[in-house]
Amino acid sequence: MTSESLILFFIVGLVLVGGAILFSSYIAPTSTNLQKSEAYECGVPTKGITWLQFNVGYYLFALLFLVFEVETVFIFPWAVMMKSMGMVAFVEILIFFAVLGLGLLYAWKKHALIWE
Amino acid sequence: MSIHELMFYLFSGMILLFSVLTVTSRRILRAATYLLFVLISTAGIYFMLNYQFLAAVQLTLYAGGIVVLIIFSILLTSHITHKFEPIGIKKMVFTIVAVAAGAILTITTVLNYGFNTVVASSQNPDMQLIGGSLLGYGRDGYALPFEVISVLLLAAIFGSIVIAKKEKSK
């Protein structure tokens, strides 16, 4: 499948779903009141703003996540070529993992994986 | 106009629109969200060029990882709800003049440059080609850089832990 047909598929999906929603919102009777526009998550009205200041812990996890995500990017082409290249590719990825395992070990040792 | 051209103009328009919104938005969290749309549209351009790998990297790393990191680092600061003052008319005029001058300089330079139009041999950079050269150890192989990448990522892990992790005082 070429990318154009994929994109066309995407557009058709968007138009069909969007059209249905728009059409139903156009023909449906509307009734609005104050209660309807409230957030109903857990049934409790929210207090204050939702843009809260986060815990620093999230940032460390996001950084570590990003590093390992970069690692997965390099595993994609490896996984495609693994079968045809055989042992060589396997040894190469073992070295790759060993070096990055040291990083995970370091993170573990420094208690970076513990939520505080 | 073919569908290919249509998609190109659509993605380019999206990139332009959201880039402008990113820099003109007065709330920083909204600017980060607009940046996400810019990155996704760029991935669309890569898909159009049949660069599947690059597009996947763009989506997972930039749209998925970097934007999350940016949003986290914005939410860490205490100025989340800060709304920038609308810029003054004087600043706006000077900015427009500076941007226009830069754009004119760049466009005239690009238009006056004599590009050697040779038709590149169209090789499809699919995953097998990338994987083969990434893991190959022969003439066109990048096996050593591939392993060096892991050392680089290791350094990144060390750096991020040292920076983001607060040592407990003993």
Side-chain angles (χ1 to χ4, degrees):
Chain A
M1 192 158 72
T2 59
S3 58
E4 277 109 47
S5 55
L6 190 71
I7 289 160
L8 197 66
F9 180 73
F10 185 72
I11 290 177
V12 169
L14 209 69
V15 167
L16 278 179
V17 174
I21 291 172
L22 275 179
F23 185 64
S24 71
S25 73
Y26 180 68
I27 58 166
T30 52
S31 74
T32 49
N33 54 42
L34 211 65
Q35 274 77 35
K36 261 190 166 176
S37 57
E38 273 181 6
Y40 58 90
E41 193 182 358
C42 306
V44 181
T46 52
K47 278 213 170 126
I49 50 158
T50 45
W51 289 358
L52 292 172
Q53 200 173 349
F54 269 37
N55 189 347
V56 160
Y58 284 107
Y59 189 67
L60 181 62
F61 275 84
L63 274 176
L64 283 179
F65 162 73
L66 198 65
V67 173
F68 285 105
E69 199 176 23
V70 174
E71 186 195 337
T72 49
V73 161
F74 289 102
I75 296 174
F76 286 144
W78 167 80
V80 172
M81 288 306 284
M82 171 65 201
K83 257 192 180 156
S84 55
M85 287 189 76
M87 208 57 203
V88 180
F90 187 63
V91 170
E92 279 179 22
I93 205 72
L94 275 187
I95 299 168
F96 191 78
F97 276 158
V99 174
L100 278 161
L102 288 176
L104 193 61
L105 216 65
Y106 180 80
W108 200 347
K109 196 92 178 64
K110 284 278 173 184
H111 307 293
L113 303 179
I114 298 168
W115 186 255
E116 285 169 9
Chain B
M1 195 158 66
S2 67
I3 181 94
H4 205 269
E5 277 177 54
L6 186 77
M7 291 317 296
F8 175 75
Y9 286 121
L10 184 69
F11 283 130
S12 308
M14 273 169 73
I15 290 174
L16 277 175
L17 175 72
F18 287 118
S19 304
V20 169
L21 280 175
T22 305
V23 290
T24 53
S25 174
R26 277 154 61 201
R27 285 193 187 274
I28 190 161
L29 202 60
R30 284 190 189 154
T33 315
Y34 290 134
L35 183 67
L36 173 70
F37 288 115
V38 175
L39 295 171
I40 290 175
S41 314
T42 316
I45 296 268
Y46 289 149
F47 270 121
M48 279 181 61
L49 293 168
N50 271 329
Y51 292 166
Q52 284 101 349
F53 180 64
L54 200 57
V57 169
Q58 176 81 15
L59 278 181
T60 55
L61 278 189
Y62 285 88
I66 305 265
V67 168
V68 167
L69 196 69
I70 288 173
I71 286 176
F72 274 174
S73 48
I74 290 169
L75 289 174
L76 278 176
T77 63
S78 53
H79 308 294
I80 310 156
T81 50
H82 179 74
K83 192 174 180 181
F84 286 104
E85 295 292 314
I87 53 169
I89 191 86
K90 199 171 154 193
K91 214 172 187 176
M92 197 183 279
V93 167
F94 277 116
T95 310
I96 288 170
V97 167
V99 169
I104 289 167
L105 185 70
T106 312
I107 291 167
T108 47
T109 311
V110 168
L111 288 180
N112 286 329
Y113 184 79
F115 285 105
N116 291 323
T117 47
V118 282
V119 180
S121 60
S122 70
Q123 54 171 350
N124 205 357
D126 60 352
M127 285 290 246
Q128 296 206 328
L129 192 75
I130 293 168
S133 51
L134 196 62
L135 297 170
Y137 49 88
R139 210 174 126 263
D140 293 325
Y142 290 91
L144 185 63
F146 179 65
E147 302 301 346
V148 171
I149 285 165
S150 67
V151 179
L152 180 71
L153 290 177
L154 184 70
I157 294 174
F158 287 172
S160 63
I161 290 170
V162 166
I163 290 169
K165 179 87 182 159
K166 208 164 36 182
E167 276 298 335
K168 279 208 193 82
S169 52
K170 281 156 198 161

